[in-house]
Amino acid sequence: CILGTHHEKGAQTFWSVVNRLPLSGNAVLCWKFCHVFHKLLRDGHSNVLKDSVRYKNELSDMSRMWGHLSEGYGQLCSIYLKLLRTKMEFHTKNPRFPGNLQMSDRQLDEAGENDVNNFFQLTVEMFDYLECELNLFQTVFNSLDMSCSVSVTAAGQCRLAPLIQVILDCSHLYDYTVKLLFKLHSCLPADTLQGHRDRFLEQFRKLKDLFYRSSNLQYFKRLIQIPQLPENPPNFLRASALSEHISPVVVIPAEASSPDSEPITDLVEMDTASQSLFDNKFDDIFGSSFSSNPFNFNSQNGMNKDDKDRLIEQLYGEIAALKEELENFKAESARGTVQLRGRASELEAELAEQQHLKQQAQDESEFLRTELEELKKQREDTEKAQRSLTEIERRAQANEQRYGKLKEKYSELVQNHADLLRKNAEVTKQVTVARQAQGDVEREKKELEDSFQRVSEQAQRKSQEQAEVLDTLKRELAASRQELQVLQGTLESSTQAGAEQSTRITSLEQERDNLSRAAEQHGEEMAALRAELQQLRDTLSQQQESSKTELETLQTQLRNKESEEQRRLAKEQLALLQGTAREAERMVQDALGRLEDPAHISCTSSAGEFPSVIPARRYRSPALSQLTTCAHSPAVAVGSLLPCLPLFAHLVSDTLLQGSATSHVAPMEPADRDEALSYLSAVQDPGTVEGADCSPVTACLGRISAIGEELRPRGLDVKQEELGDLVDKEMAATAAAIETASARIEEMLTKARAGDTGVKLEVNERILGSCTGLMQAIRVLVLASKDLQREIVESGRGAASPKEFYAKNSRWTEGLISASKAVGWGATVMVDAADLVVQGKGTFEELMVCSREIAASTAQLVAASKVKADKDSTNLCKLQQASRGVNQATAGVVASTKAGKSQVEEKDSMDFSSMTLTQIKRQEMDSQVRVLELENQLQKERQKLGELRKKHYELAGVAEGWEEDGEC
């Protein structure tokens, strides 16, 4: 799946397959889906999160659904789905975090954008994320039975497997939380972060405990190296404590799942398992000692042991000595294995530490490489700035030349302007004189003003143009000088920074060379240790081969002894089997002889009790088929099979006698009686014991069971223990049927008011109103009946439970059930009839019959409730009042139906004034014929009604067991 997401650059195919899986119906499948989806979010393509966000609500609904199950995988799936939803929300809000949560310190700073508010919110989200991880961690451990080695079982490993992903997430989240809290304490007051510290301490204790418990499980030792947290949590109030923090590193061995990773352990476990299987098999066949041997008849009869017994004892002694030697050898092998495992664990820990150091060195080199690239970019920028500075200096020189030329022109313009000013001063003086003699020189003044305006305008225009050009050149020159000064300062600082970075890069390259040499030395040491480990493995394999050869020799000797004992035991078992079969045959023949006994012929048995003994016969009979293998399979324990024959004979005899007693109340038919005897005879004969088959006996018992079930009264199908629950269910069903009928009547009344008018609306309202009143009266009656039944049960059951009271008074209980069924059925039928009448498709007579039938059913319910009630009971009075209310409501329904019928039906005018004598005679004859036909039809319907009531009485008697009560 992970490779598929990278190939597809998304998870569309994955989700298209998941949507077809029954995740809501199979908890184990949902658990494994969560595991796979968690790995995809961590190691899959980055677009997996985008393609999965749209299914977030479906995962939430599935989590709530599995949360209703309190056992098994239900709660685990619910919590895991909540964790996956939290993970998706976290990565959606913080897209800088990858799915596997692996980030450098610089990337972590960039994720917060150097804003204390962002760091504060990010810490809260990480706390929530880690809380979900720890909740799943704790729930999985609580669901396991830690009193046994659950990590080596398939069920335990199925629950522990997803915790590897949880451990990887928790290690990163813990590390980032510590670093963020130190950063927050450097920017915010300690009181503001008190809640953060309390929450961190709680999660620290939980995570430390869970890491410690996980590291002790055998399952995790082979797959992952779990880090251990420090004894005390970090002190965030002391800024220097950050240097003491060590990031927890989870190490996953590269070949954890390789079959060659633990060849020694597998071989030792295989030898141990085979030896334990051999020992158990030997003890099951021969017993642990001769004193417990059930077939040692010589010791039971007080006889002395012969040479064969002494030989067997000698062999037992040799076997015990060999077992002791084998145990010593296994103990030595186990000790060597433990030592090798310890050495291998130390080497793996050292290797993990070296890999961690190597990873840190790689991270530092990557950081230095990044800084070097940044310095190169700064140097390129400096060179570009120098080139631009040269261009600016060239342009400044050109501008200075232009400025010199313009300055000369400006001097000429200033000189001309001075001349014009002098002229202007003279003219001004003349104007002053002219103003004093204004009356005399007014004409001259106007001429001089005109000439002065022309000259001054020309001078102003020229001076303004030259001033604008001069100002522009001054601004350009000042800007060029400022740029030149800034670029010179930047060039000097860049030159100094480049020199410092060059020095630092040189020192870092030296450190990198030192680390490379140290890594090569560690590699040589690891190679030497691997060679030593391989030598130890070769030595151990040679020792195991030699021990295996010795073990095979011992097993060959034991098999020879075992074959001799099996032949002897086969003869003894066959003799026991024959004796048991003869005794069983005598028991069956005795039962067949009693069938002809006059005392037995006069006995009868109930048809309801006979089928209860048949399933036991059918259950026991297949066990006899195993007896045929007893004579040829000495390894089978005969002690557990021989009792089946006497039990089989006893049960067959009991079945014959009970079946015969039951058949005395019915006509006898011919039957086969020799199937069991034939089978027992075949078991006694050594020549036919292999072909003995008990399937004909099983088939006969099956036919007897089927016939017994047919004879069983129908009313006995329900167990007496279930009668109490059935009464409550039927009363609840009756109340529900009445409520449904009332709702339907209200709906029909609303439709009638909306769609009918005139006489039809009036008739429908009157009929439906009376039906509503009848339903309300029936509801009151049912409630009163419940109260009375509760009072009867409380007063009559004593110390027994209500179910026992109902079972004790089963006939009364069955009457209540029958009456409540009739009431519910009658209400439903009456509503259907009223609906047809309102629609114009039914008849008024059908509605009247249905109402009377309800009245009869309620009367039956009242009678059944009154049987065991106290005469002075208040609930009985309420029930009787409710019964009278039902009768009055029934009469109201009948009256409203008749009134509606008379109002709706069209009446003939009976106007015979215009008819002739012949026509009247013809009408009279037709009416007589119609009356005769209706009378005949009425008589037939009454006969049919009588037959139906008779048949109903018979069926009700069979269902409730009246015939059985009569016989008793």
Side-chain angles (χ1 to χ4, degrees):
C1 290
I2 294 172
L3 294 177
T5 58
H6 286 282
H7 177 73
E8 189 183 28
K9 299 187 183 336
Q12 294 89 352
T13 304
F14 171 75
W15 281 108
S16 64
V17 175
V18 169
N19 290 330
R20 295 195 297 268
L21 297 177
L23 300 181
S24 299
N26 191 329
V28 178
L29 181 62
C30 182
W31 176 255
K32 295 187 177 182
F33 155 74
C34 294
H35 186 192
V36 174
F37 184 43
H38 195 173
K39 290 180 70 68
L40 284 184
L41 290 177
R42 283 186 53 83
D43 303 328
H45 195 268
S46 59
N47 291 333
V48 171
L49 178 63
K50 299 178 182 178
D51 295 337
S52 304
V53 169
R54 70 188 69 173
Y55 301 99
K56 185 167 62 175
N57 294 330
E58 297 180 7
L59 296 180
S60 299
D61 297 338
M62 195 183 303
S63 175
R64 286 192 296 271
M65 187 272 293
W66 284 117
H68 295 299
L69 296 180
S70 59
E71 297 179 356
Y73 283 87
Q75 288 293 327
L76 296 178
C77 292
S78 176
I79 296 174
Y80 207 163
L81 290 170
K82 290 180 183 177
L83 169 60
L84 295 177
R85 178 184 174 90
T86 304
K87 183 176 180 67
M88 288 192 290
E89 292 177 351
F90 177 80
H91 289 289
T92 303
K93 293 179 181 177
N94 305 280
R96 294 177 181 268
F97 283 84
N100 55 8
L101 297 175
Q102 293 182 0
M103 296 180 67
S104 62
D105 294 342
R106 183 172 60 84
Q107 292 173 339
L108 183 62
D109 294 338
E110 293 176 355
E113 299 177 355
N114 293 326
D115 188 355
V116 67
N117 295 322
N118 294 340
F119 286 127
F120 190 92
Q121 182 63 27
L122 182 60
T123 306
V124 174
E125 294 175 359
M126 283 190 176
F127 278 145
D128 297 338
Y129 191 178
L130 185 58
E131 186 69 28
C132 293
E133 300 275 4
L134 294 176
N135 191 13
L136 177 61
F137 218 136
Q138 187 66 41
T139 306
V140 171
F141 273 103
N142 292 338
S143 66
L144 297 175
D145 184 9
M146 290 303 177
S147 62
C148 57
S149 300
V150 294
S151 62
V152 299
T153 62
Q157 292 178 2
C158 181
R159 299 191 182 191
L160 292 174
L163 295 186
I164 296 177
Q165 312 301 319
V166 176
I167 293 171
L168 293 172
D169 289 345
C170 289
S171 63
H172 292 298
L173 290 174
Y174 168 76
D175 184 28
Y176 300 154
T177 304
V178 172
K179 293 178 180 177
L180 290 177
L181 284 176
F182 274 112
K183 188 178 293 293
L184 288 175
H185 278 80
S186 64
C187 302
L188 297 176
D191 296 338
T192 306
L193 300 173
Q194 181 63 40
H196 280 51
R197 290 198 299 273
D198 295 340
R199 194 171 183 185
F200 174 79
L201 290 176
E202 181 182 359
Q203 293 185 354
F204 174 81
R205 287 192 292 268
K206 291 182 180 179
L207 185 61
K208 180 181 178 181
D209 179 62
L210 292 174
F211 274 6
Y212 176 74
R213 295 170 64 184
S214 302
S215 62
N216 293 329
L217 293 178
Q218 186 67 29
Y219 176 71
F220 290 121
K221 291 181 179 178
R222 298 173 57 251
L223 300 176
I224 189 172
Q225 183 177 350
I226 302 174
Q228 297 299 326
L229 300 184
E231 286 295 329
N232 299 318
N235 186 6
F236 300 109
L237 302 178
R238 184 166 57 88
S240 60
L242 178 60
S243 60
E244 302 173 0
H245 171 66
I246 301 175
S247 301
V249 179
V250 180
V251 179
I252 299 179
E255 299 180 356
S257 60
S258 176
D260 299 332
S261 59
E262 292 182 351
I264 302 175
T265 306
D266 295 340
L267 187 57
V268 173
E269 290 178 355
M270 181 181 67
D271 292 341
T272 304
S274 61
Q275 181 62 29
S276 61
L277 179 62
F278 169 76
D279 294 340
N280 293 335
K281 184 176 179 182
F282 184 88
D283 292 339
D284 290 341
I285 296 173
F286 298 104
S288 59
S289 64
F290 279 94
S291 60
S292 60
N293 187 1
F295 303 107
N296 190 0
F297 300 103
N298 294 332
S299 60
Q300 296 177 1
N301 297 328
M303 298 176 63
N304 296 325
K305 297 180 180 179
D306 52 5
D307 296 338
K308 186 176 182 180
D309 294 335
R310 286 192 296 273
L311 179 60
I312 292 174
E313 288 180 354
Q314 182 180 356
L315 291 174
Y316 268 115
E318 294 177 359
I319 291 171
L322 292 174
K323 283 184 179 180
E324 185 176 357
E325 293 179 1
L326 184 60
E327 290 295 332
N328 294 333
F329 177 74
K330 288 194 291 186
E332 293 176 359
S333 300
R335 285 194 296 271
T337 304
V338 170
Q339 293 176 358
L340 291 176
R341 282 185 180 176
R343 183 58 178 166
S345 300
E346 293 176 358
L347 295 176
E348 289 176 356
E350 293 178 0
L351 178 60
E353 184 177 359
Q354 295 299 327
Q355 289 178 351
H356 179 56
L357 295 175
K358 181 181 178 182
Q359 184 65 30
Q360 289 182 347
Q362 290 178 354
D363 293 340
E364 292 179 358
S365 63
E366 183 67 24
F367 179 69
L368 294 175
R369 191 179 296 108
T370 305
E371 291 185 350
L372 180 60
E373 292 177 356
E374 292 179 355
L375 290 175
K376 288 181 180 179
K377 291 181 181 179
Q378 291 180 2
R379 185 178 296 173
E380 292 176 358
D381 295 339
T382 305
E383 293 176 356
K384 291 181 181 179
Q386 289 178 352
R387 288 193 295 269
S388 62
L389 179 61
T390 304
E391 182 67 21
I392 290 172
E393 288 178 351
R394 186 179 60 77
R395 291 174 58 189
Q397 291 176 359
N399 289 332
E400 287 181 355
Q401 293 176 0
R402 288 177 60 192
Y403 177 72
K405 295 178 181 179
L406 291 173
K407 189 175 182 181
E408 293 176 357
K409 291 182 180 181
Y410 178 72
S411 301
E412 294 176 358
L413 291 173
V414 169
Q415 186 67 30
N416 294 332
H417 185 62
D419 295 339
L420 291 174
L421 287 176
R422 285 191 297 269
K423 291 180 180 179
N424 189 14
E426 294 176 357
V427 172
T428 303
K429 292 179 180 179
Q430 293 176 2
V431 170
T432 304
V433 175
R435 284 180 179 176
Q436 294 176 357
Q438 185 176 6
D440 297 337
V441 293
E442 184 176 356
R443 186 179 300 171
E444 295 178 0
K445 180 181 177 181
K446 290 182 180 180
E447 293 177 357
L448 290 174
E449 286 179 354
D450 294 338
S451 62
F452 176 74
Q453 286 180 356
R454 287 193 298 270
V455 173
S456 63
E457 286 177 358
Q458 291 178 359
Q460 287 178 359
R461 281 196 299 270
K462 290 181 180 180
S463 62
Q464 287 178 359
E465 290 177 358
Q466 295 298 328
E468 290 177 358
V469 172
L470 183 61
D471 292 339
T472 303
L473 291 174
K474 286 181 178 180
R475 287 193 298 269
E476 290 181 356
L477 182 60
S480 300
R481 287 177 178 175
Q482 292 178 358
E483 291 179 358
L484 181 60
Q485 292 176 358
V486 172
L487 290 173
Q488 287 177 352
T490 305
L491 181 60
E492 292 176 357
S493 61
S494 300
T495 305
Q496 294 177 358
E500 294 177 357
Q501 294 296 334
S502 300
T503 306
R504 186 175 180 183
I505 289 171
T506 304
S507 62
L508 291 174
E509 287 179 352
Q510 293 177 358
E511 292 180 1
R512 185 182 62 186
D513 295 337
N514 295 332
L515 291 174
S516 300
R517 288 192 295 272
E520 291 177 357
Q521 293 177 0
H522 287 299
E524 293 175 357
E525 293 177 0
M526 287 298 299
L529 291 173
R530 288 195 183 96
E532 182 181 355
L533 180 62
Q534 185 63 34
Q535 184 178 2
L536 292 173
R537 289 178 177 174
D538 295 339
T539 304
L540 182 61
S541 62
Q542 293 175 1
Q543 293 177 358
Q544 289 177 349
E545 288 179 358
S546 60
S547 62
K548 186 176 181 181
T549 305
E550 296 177 359
L551 183 61
E552 289 178 353
T553 305
L554 294 174
Q555 288 177 350
T556 304
Q557 296 177 359
L558 289 175
R559 281 196 294 270
N560 295 332
K561 296 296 181 181
E562 182 181 359
S563 60
E564 295 177 359
E565 284 295 321
Q566 285 179 353
R567 287 192 294 272
R568 183 181 63 80
L569 290 175
K571 296 179 181 179
E572 296 177 356
Q573 289 172 355
L574 182 59
L576 288 174
L577 183 64
Q578 291 175 351
T580 306
R582 285 194 295 272
E583 184 64 27
E585 184 178 4
R586 283 196 296 271
M587 293 174 65
V588 175
Q589 289 178 352
D590 183 49
L592 291 175
R594 291 180 60 187
L595 295 180
E596 305 298 333
D597 191 359
H600 175 71
I601 294 174
S602 60
C603 297
T604 59
S605 178
S606 173
E609 298 177 357
F610 175 65
S612 62
V613 298
I614 299 302
R617 284 65 165 171
R618 301 187 65 184
Y619 172 78
R620 294 293 182 178
S621 58
L624 294 179
S625 61
Q626 301 178 5
L627 293 175
T628 58
T629 62
C630 179
H632 305 283
S633 300
V636 180
V638 182
S640 61
L641 296 177
L642 287 176
C644 293
L645 272 178
L647 180 60
F648 168 75
H650 173 70
L651 294 177
V652 169
S653 302
D654 192 13
T655 302
L656 290 174
L657 295 176
Q658 291 287 343
S660 176
T662 304
S663 65
H664 289 162
V665 297
M668 292 288 292
E669 294 182 0
D672 296 331
R673 300 182 178 182
D674 57 350
E675 295 294 344
L677 295 177
S678 301
Y679 175 70
L680 294 174
S681 300
V683 170
Q684 296 179 31
D685 191 358
T688 59
V689 66
E690 295 183 0
D693 186 10
C694 65
S695 57
V697 182
T698 306
C700 290
L701 290 175
R703 291 195 298 272
I704 294 173
S705 178
I707 295 171
E709 290 295 336
E710 293 178 358
L711 295 175
R712 185 184 180 95
R714 298 181 181 177
L716 298 179
D717 292 341
V718 180
K719 297 180 180 179
Q720 290 187 352
E721 294 81 0
E722 301 175 357
L723 285 176
D725 296 335
L726 188 59
V727 170
D728 296 336
K729 290 180 181 178
E730 290 298 334
M731 294 301 291
T734 302
I738 293 170
E739 293 293 337
T740 304
S742 300
R744 286 186 59 189
I745 291 173
E746 292 294 334
E747 183 180 357
M748 288 188 290
L749 185 58
T750 303
K751 291 182 180 179
R753 289 172 178 171
D756 298 336
T757 57
V759 176
K760 186 175 182 181
L761 176 60
E762 181 181 355
V763 171
N764 290 340
E765 284 184 345
R766 186 186 301 116
I767 294 174
L768 294 177
S770 60
C771 291
T772 302
L774 179 58
M775 289 298 138
Q776 293 176 354
I778 295 174
R779 187 185 298 111
V780 173
L781 177 68
V782 172
L783 293 176
S785 177
K786 286 183 178 179
D787 294 338
L788 182 58
Q789 291 172 21
R790 192 178 301 109
E791 179 182 352
I792 292 171
V793 173
E794 291 296 330
S795 62
R797 67 185 180 91
S801 63
K803 291 185 179 181
E804 293 176 353
F805 178 81
Y806 282 122
K808 182 179 179 181
N809 302 275
S810 59
R811 291 292 174 263
W812 176 70
T813 305
E814 290 170 0
L816 287 178
I817 295 171
S818 177
S820 60
K821 283 183 179 179
V823 171
W825 174 81
T828 304
V829 173
M830 192 192 77
V831 173
D832 295 337
D835 191 8
L836 294 176
V837 169
V838 171
Q839 294 177 4
K841 299 179 182 179
T843 60
F844 293 95
E845 290 81 2
E846 184 177 359
L847 183 59
M848 289 187 288
V849 170
C850 291
S851 61
R852 289 168 180 167
E853 183 65 25
I854 289 179
S857 301
T858 54
Q860 181 184 354
L861 182 60
V862 172
S865 302
K866 288 171 57 179
V867 171
K868 291 185 176 294
D870 189 5
K871 294 182 179 180
D872 299 331
S873 175
T874 57
N875 290 325
L876 179 59
C877 296
K878 292 180 181 179
L879 181 63
Q880 291 174 349
Q881 292 177 0
S883 177
R884 287 193 290 270
V886 171
N887 292 332
Q888 292 175 1
T890 303
V893 173
V894 174
S896 61
T897 304
K898 288 182 178 180
K901 178 181 179 182
S902 62
Q903 189 174 359
V904 172
E905 289 180 347
E906 296 180 356
K907 295 184 178 180
D908 296 334
S909 59
M910 298 297 181
D911 186 9
F912 306 123
S913 59
S914 62
M915 296 178 64
T916 62
L917 179 61
T918 305
Q919 292 175 348
I920 291 174
K921 190 64 176 178
R922 182 65 180 176
Q923 291 284 341
E924 182 181 357
M925 293 177 63
D926 292 340
S927 298
Q928 290 178 357
V929 171
R930 182 61 178 165
V931 167
L932 292 175
E933 290 177 353
L934 291 176
E935 289 178 351
N936 188 18
Q937 188 176 358
L938 177 62
Q939 185 177 1
K940 291 181 179 179
E941 289 296 330
R942 285 178 175 172
Q943 292 178 356
K944 183 178 179 181
L945 177 61
E947 293 295 331
L948 288 174
R949 287 178 175 174
K950 182 179 179 181
K951 189 63 177 178
H952 178 267
Y953 181 79
E954 293 177 356
L955 292 176
V958 172
E960 298 182 6
W962 294 346
E963 295 179 358
E964 183 179 352
D965 292 344
E967 292 178 1
C968 293

